């Protein structure tokens, strides 16, 4: 099956800092999504981005499908951005494969 | 629009018992997927249902099963529970399966 690797595994930032999270995947995909799991366990869909670039407020994402990676950018981080960020991919819309996640801690 | 609703939120069972979890998708969504989340294995795909048919299945034993009803609500069943089945079970819905998935708050299952 498709392998999904996320980096870094852990990230600690001061409030206001910017960060880039990376997701590498081992095969071509037609479905790629980024999720944020907050400290209460709720998974929130951030982006559906099998290719191209999207922006939503302080967050943006870019997927370069031909090179099999995606990046999630967080600007001017806030304490509420803390949690785990997951990348998930699927090939031919089969089972979604999740990465191990990046645990982000934003300190005030 | 109401989100994805999972019931119950918490459940405690003993080894050998069986359990049924319920998921009501967002209105209009026809695809429902189930995932298991554990600290050791992370988020793993269980199965996906679309129009009452299992369309995709992950690598879990046959003790894990599911179904979907005509109103798109879905249930998953785990029989002969084992200690390792303790996990957060998450349900996600989407329009067709290849669009953004929206997750419920999960059911936290503890096996004693």
């Amino acid at each position: 099956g498709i392998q999904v690797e996320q980096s870094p595994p852990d990230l600690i930032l001061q409030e206001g800092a910017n960060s880039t999270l990376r997701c590498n995947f081992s095969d071509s995909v037609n479905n790629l999504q980024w999720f944020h799991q907050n400290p209460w366990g709720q998974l929130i869909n951030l982006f559906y981005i099998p290719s191209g670039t999207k922006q939503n407020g302080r967050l943006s994402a870019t997927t370069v499908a031909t090179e099999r990676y995606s990046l999630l950018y967080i600007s001017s981080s806030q304490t509420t951005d803390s949690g785990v960020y997951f990348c998930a991919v699927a090939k031919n819309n089969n089972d979604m494969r999740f990465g191990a996640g990046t645990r982000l801690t934003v300190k005030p | 629009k109401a989100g994805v609703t999972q019931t119950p939120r918490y459940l405690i069972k003993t080894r050998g018992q069986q359990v049924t979890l319920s998921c009501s998708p967002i209105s209009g969504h026809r695809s429902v997927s189930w995932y298991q989340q554990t600290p050791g294995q992370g988020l793993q795909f269980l199965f996906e249902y679309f129009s009452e048919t299992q369309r995709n299945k992950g690598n879990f034993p046959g003790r894990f099963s599911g179904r979907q009803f005509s109103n798109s609500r879905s249930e998953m069943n785990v029989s002969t529970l084992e200690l390792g089945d303790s996990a957060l079970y998450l349900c996600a819905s989407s329009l067709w399966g290849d669009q953004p998935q929206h997750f419920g708050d999960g059911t936290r299952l503890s096996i004693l």
Side-chain angles (χ1 to χ4, degrees), chain A residues 30-31 33 35 37 40-45 47-48 86 92-99, chain B residues 9 35 37 43 45 48 55-58 88 90 97-105 108:
Chain A
N30 59 1
N31 189 336
Q33 303 184 38
F35 297 91
Q37 189 167 39
W40 297 272
Q42 296 170 318
L43 263 170
I44 307 299
N45 190 297
F47 292 103
Y48 171 78
F86 289 101
N92 299 325
N93 297 314
N94 288 331
D95 56 290
M96 293 288 288
R97 296 294 179 109
F98 280 75
Chain B
R9 289 295 311 279
Y35 297 86
Q37 186 175 27
L43 272 155
F45 172 79
E48 184 224 1
R55 195 161 62 172
N56 293 301
K57 188 178 189 306
L88 178 66
L90 291 157
D98 59 346
Q99 286 87 23
Q101 288 193 332
H102 300 274
F103 280 82
D105 290 343
R108 190 166 294 280

Side-chain angles (χ1 to χ4, degrees), chain B residues 56-74:
Chain B
N56 293 301
K57 188 178 189 306
N59 189 26
F60 277 80
R63 300 186 297 107
F64 292 81
S65 62
R67 59 178 176 169
Q68 187 180 34
F69 302 95
S70 58
N71 61 357
S72 293
R73 188 177 72 85
S74 178

Side-chain angles (χ1 to χ4, degrees), chain B residues 22-69:
Chain B
S22 179
C23 173
S24 293
I26 291 172
S27 178
H29 285 193
R30 295 172 62 186
S31 169
V32 174
S33 297
W34 288 90
Y35 297 86
Q36 181 196 65
Q37 186 175 27
T38 60
Q41 300 298 317
L43 272 155
Q44 293 185 285
F45 172 79
L46 280 156
F47 28 66
E48 184 224 1
Y49 285 86
F50 182 85
S51 291
E52 302 178 64
T53 301
Q54 187 181 85
R55 195 161 62 172
N56 293 301
K57 188 178 189 306
N59 189 26
F60 277 80
R63 300 186 297 107
F64 292 81
S65 62
R67 59 178 176 169
Q68 187 180 34
F69 302 95

